[in-house]
Each structure stands twice: as structure tokens, then as C-alpha cells.
Amino acid sequence: MKKKLLSAVLSVAVVASLLVGCGSDAGTTSSEGEGASAGGTKVGVSMPTKDLQRWNQDGSNMEAELKAAGYEVDLQYASNDVQTQVSQIENMISSGADVLVIAAIEGSSLGEALDMAKDANIPVIAYDRLLMNSDAVSYYATFDNYMVGTVQGQYVVDTLDLENAAGPFNLEITSGDPGDNNAGYFFNGAYDVLKPYIESGKLNVVSGQKTFDECATPTWATEKAQERAENILSSNYSDGTNVDVWLCSNDSTALGVENALAANYNGTYPIITGQDCDIENVKNMIAGKQSMSVFKDTRTLASQVVKMVGQILKGETVDVNDTTTYDNGTGVIPSYLCQPVFADVNNYKELLIDSGYYTEDQLK
């Protein structure tokens, strides 16, 4: 009952957000906007990789919105190679970018390029991943990353009815990329919700791996998550012990866990969390192989960033709603946080299909 109620509440919230928006590999595409309002102003957009579905969506959404606003767009993907991303950003600066929007591969590894942007007086918006240890960062636009984790943790609490159930339940955790500043927020948000139940023994981490570093998945790679999950299963669950919950920070890691379970596990199927509502994971959710995924509508984030770009270039006050949370090592970066919600088998049609995020055929 609690789960259904939470789902209903969050569904209403996301429908409202879809109506009003968030605020009101190496492949390269470069295109000029048709509109006259921006008059040849160029925006450089640096995305980390094409290997994850979400970055392809982020990039295409951003490009479309910026073009529609009349900007020239230089969109580039860095194939998860830091030096490639540094070079691409430096080329954007050299070719006359007026604003940079950067989703970093590693938040602390773009110092040279960011120094160059600062010297050229080019404003920088950190996109979804905070750029660390640089005073060149003007603004940060993302989803409420800590809330992503709390949504996942609360889903587990409600689904298992941990307030009332006797337990104990067996839990395993797969967290994200240590180079991604967001990964710690996801982990901490979920762990803070589940910690009382872990400490009381109602949730038992059989592998003993409870810290972010122990559970981390470099580059969010599915194959690395799968390899670690296989090791956990063979070491701790081959005797018929059931794993009741596998807390995964995002969908690419969840997919690895699901692959490992399919190959190496015969017990009762666990609750599995995720994030991003990737197509393959939504298919798995429909098939009963994944329980939920946190939905972050990248269309709303793209809309907010385009709005911020326009405000910067017009010298207007830039919309932010958080000025305390995200310190990148040089000070707190003014941020705009969009609100995430969860999708599961009960509400995915409303959130993903009715909103136009996916078509029904894409999920078959």
C-alpha cells in the first residue's frame, strides 16, 4: 500500500514537471541554428560518451533546444577518454564558443581546458556532473542527486515493508563510478535511508561490502558490474542463500547485475533498483527482471540549461534553486536541481510513453 501511494504521489509530481519543464565514440556534430535571436552565438556542448543511452539523449535534446533558440551548436562526445574531452573543449574555445556546457568524464580532470575557458572569459555550465577543483565553473545544472538515492532507498523500504516486516533480508549494493561526483550522492542518499535497517540487522549485507569504494563500478560499466556481481554470488550465494535486494545506482550497473543473476543464481529473484530508465532496463522492468528505475527526464534538464545559457548571454539573473549544496573545492557553485521520480511496472506507461519520452514500439 505504501509503495502504491508513493508511486501515485511521484507520478503526479512528474506529470506536473513534464508540463512546466524543469525551470519555467568519438562523434562530433556541428550545426547552426536557424533563428535570428541568438545571431551566430556559439554554444559548445561536451558530452562524455555515446556508450550510455542517456548521454545520447542528453546531447540530442540539448542540441535541438539550442538550435531552436537560434544558437550555433558544437556538440562533441569524448568516447570516455579524458584527454579527448580536454582537446575537444579546447577546440571549442579556440573556435569561438561563447558558453560551454560540459558533462565531464571525470569531474577533476579538465583543469587545463577550464583554465583556458577562464582566461577567455567564457562562462561554463557543469551539466549533471559537477566540475571539481576549478573556479572557472559558473553554474551547475543537474537533478537532485541525493534525492535520486533516497528515492531508491525508500522504494526498498516500502516494497519490503521494513517498518513492519520481521526480516532479516539480504542486501547487496552496486554503486557508481568513483570519478563521477554524482555517484557519491546517489550512494549516500540510498544508504542514509537504509542505514537504520542495516544497523538493526533487518537488512544483512552478506558480502560485507557496504562502503562506496567497496561497491564502486568504474565508468559505470555493465561488464564490470556483472563481473563483481558474479563474484559476490559465487562467494556468498552458491549454497542456496537468497539475495532479497540488490541496490544498483543506475541502469547500466543494474543490467550487469541482472546478467549475473541470470547466469549464476537460482534463488528467489531480488528487488533491483536502477536509474535513467534506459530502454533495455525498462524492458527488463516490464519482464519482472528489474523492480524500478529513477526517471530523470533529460528533456527538462536540457530546457533548463538552454534557459540558463540565454540568461547568461543576455546578462540576466540566472535561475538557480540551490546555493549551499555543491562545493567543487573552490566554493559553492550556484545550482539548479531538477526533481527525479521513480518508474516501475505500475506507472511506466504514464511517465515514459504518455509523456512522449518513448514509444510503445521502443519498449517491445
Side-chain angles (χ1 to χ4, degrees), residues 7-8 10-16 18 295 299 344-357:
S7 177
L10 291 175
S11 295
V12 172
V14 78
V15 170
L18 291 171
F295 179 47
R299 296 169 298 183
D344 65 6
V345 73
N346 298 308
N347 67 359
Y348 79 91
K349 288 184 179 179
E350 178 183 6
L351 299 187
L352 304 177
I353 296 176
D354 294 351
S355 74
Y357 197 76

Side-chain angles (χ1 to χ4, degrees), residues 95-117:
S95 65
D98 297 282
V99 178
L100 293 171
V101 179
I102 301 172
I105 298 167
E106 294 180 359
S108 300
S109 300
L110 300 179
E112 299 170 28
L114 295 177
D115 289 344
M116 186 175 176

Side-chain angles (χ1 to χ4, degrees), residues 255-272:
L255 193 60
V257 169
E258 289 151 19
N259 292 342
L261 289 167
N264 298 280
Y265 178 71
N266 296 314
T268 303
Y269 203 79
I271 296 166
I272 299 178

Side-chain angles (χ1 to χ4, degrees), residues 150-267:
T150 64
V151 168
Q152 294 172 333
Q154 192 60 48
Y155 184 92
V156 172
V157 170
D158 292 344
T159 304
L160 290 179
D161 192 19
L162 291 179
E163 285 295 305
N164 301 302
F169 300 98
N170 293 332
L171 165 71
E172 296 298 337
I173 305 170
T174 297
S175 55
D177 180 13
D180 182 349
N181 184 68
N182 290 348
Y185 285 98
F186 302 147
F187 176 85
N188 290 334
Y191 198 86
D192 285 351
V193 173
L194 299 178
K195 184 178 179 180
Y197 305 100
I198 294 172
E199 291 182 340
S200 71
K202 192 169 284 189
L203 287 175
N204 177 34
V205 182
V206 179
S207 69
Q209 299 177 27
K210 301 177 185 178
T211 68
F212 173 82
D213 289 340
E214 288 174 320
C215 303
T217 309
T219 70
W220 300 96
T222 294
E223 63 274 13
K224 293 176 182 177
Q226 180 174 343
E227 181 180 0
R228 176 172 170 268
E230 288 173 346
N231 289 336
I232 288 174
L233 289 170
S234 62
S235 299
N236 300 279
Y237 295 92
S238 60
D239 61 355
T241 300
N242 284 327
V243 56
D244 300 296
V245 183
W246 209 304
L247 180 74
C248 299
S249 287
N250 85 328
D251 279 353
S252 60
T253 58
L255 193 60
V257 169
E258 289 151 19
N259 292 342
L261 289 167
N264 298 280
Y265 178 71
N266 296 314

Side-chain angles (χ1 to χ4, degrees), residues 29-33 42-43 63-64 67 71-75:
T29 61
S30 212
S31 46
E32 288 213 15
K42 181 183 286 189
V43 181
E63 182 179 37
K67 286 174 62 178
Y71 300 107
E72 180 182 348
V73 182
D74 186 357
L75 168 63

